[in-house]
Amino acid sequence: REAGQFHTKGRSATHFGTRLRLFPKGTEISLTLKGSNPVCSFSADLLPASDGEAVTLAFLQDVMDILLQYLVKNFDRSTKVIDFHYPNELLQEYNWELADQPQTLEEILLNCRTALKYAIKTGHPRYFNQLSTGLDMVGLAADWLTSTANTNMFTYEIAPVFVLLEYVTLRKMREIIGWPGGSGDGIFSPGGAISNMYAMLIARFKMFPEVKEKGMAAIPRLVAFTSEHSHFSVKKGAAALGIGTDSVILIRCDERGKMIPSDLERRIVEAKQKGFVPFLVSATAGTTVYGAFDPLIAIADICKKYKIWMHVDGAWGGGLLMSRKHKWKLNGVE
Ligand SMILES: Cc1ncc(COP(=O)(O)O)c(C=O)c1O
């Protein structure tokens, strides 16, 4: 009960005054006592609390140590990619209750360690996933920086540097895609599914701007085309936008999972004969299962001929635009 440090080995429960905390069996707990107060520090002791600087720096240094140790392990081939447990095992082993009382900073640090212990090491040399793999250190540093700046992007006044960064990054991306001088416009979007829906929204607006005010009742029956190997989010977008999943026509693929352009043209002509209005072709650069690249140049020619908006879902393979060697797979995207 004096200021200082002590170290204990918890069995299943540790009792501090009126607070009961459960730790996994055998957990080692280090406590730093504050003044003559026998309890650890809490988040309320951190900045902006008065005198909060020292405890804030110590706490964040501890967090950083935990993260850096994890990072080093992440790249160690001799470690496991995952310490796998079934959900019921994890639920039983830890106290998952969101307590009404605040946690001590020590407990928060322990929880950080536990979260990383059971996390999948996505940067591990033996971790393979079709959509994400590896961990870029500069990107990680940028993540830390943006979290520390903790700003919103809604106006230049609130985020001058980040708004300019967004502007120049999008311009560069348009240049990489192949638009002269990086002309055009763009947004960052949180994922592939919503990007496909945005594309559908843009295509519809381009053809029928009045839909924004008057809704779907004011325009003819629209139809979109995508390959049978495309991501299900194309249909989901059609559902969300009131276009309807039946209005998404699936085009046949060859044995390698690529959209067959002649089948696309046939289905466009057929739809027009039925009185429907083709407004979007959603091609895929890297299909979810096969990683197939649709023949973008042939599809672009058909879209031009029938005046249809062409979208390329690059959620899987769009990154190849950054590769001198493989960039050609996206020829036609421009
Ligand atoms: C080709 C393709 N498009 C879109 C998506 C959806 O991406 P997200 O999960 O980021 O919404 C996926 C996801 O697997 C995909 O493979």
Side-chain angles (χ1 to χ4, degrees), residues 130-131 190-194 196 230-231 233 284-289 313-316:
Q130 72 274 39
L131 290 175
I194 202 159
N196 286 338
S230 71
H231 194 255
S233 55
T284 314
T287 57
T288 312
V289 180
D313 173 356
W316 197 105

Side-chain angles (χ1 to χ4, degrees), residues 174-231:
R174 292 192 297 270
E175 252 175 57
I176 291 169
I177 286 170
W179 291 331
S183 64
D185 207 341
I187 52 167
F188 284 109
S189 147
I194 202 159
S195 300
N196 286 338
M197 193 185 81
Y198 284 158
M200 199 169 262
L201 191 70
I202 294 166
R204 185 176 68 176
F205 180 76
K206 170 91 174 148
M207 195 171 269
F208 296 106
E210 66 271 28
V211 78
K212 187 173 169 184
E213 288 87 24
K214 298 192 170 50
M216 287 298 287
I219 64 172
R221 166 88 187 267
L222 301 177
V223 278
F225 304 84
T226 193
S227 92
E228 56 191 358
H229 281 242
S230 71
H231 194 255

Side-chain angles (χ1 to χ4, degrees), residues 151-172:
T151 192
N152 260 304
M153 290 287 288
F154 34 66
T155 59
Y156 179 81
E157 284 74 10
I158 196 87
V161 176
F162 297 115
V163 165
L164 288 179
L165 274 175
E166 182 185 40
Y167 177 77
V168 295
T169 309
L170 285 169
R171 192 178 55 198
K172 189 75 189 171

Side-chain angles (χ1 to χ4, degrees), residues 80-94:
K80 283 183 172 181
V81 173
I82 177 172
D83 182 359
F84 181 79
H85 288 71
Y86 287 99
N88 59 334
E89 295 170 341
L90 274 188
L91 283 169
Q92 273 167 22
E93 200 162 333
Y94 290 91

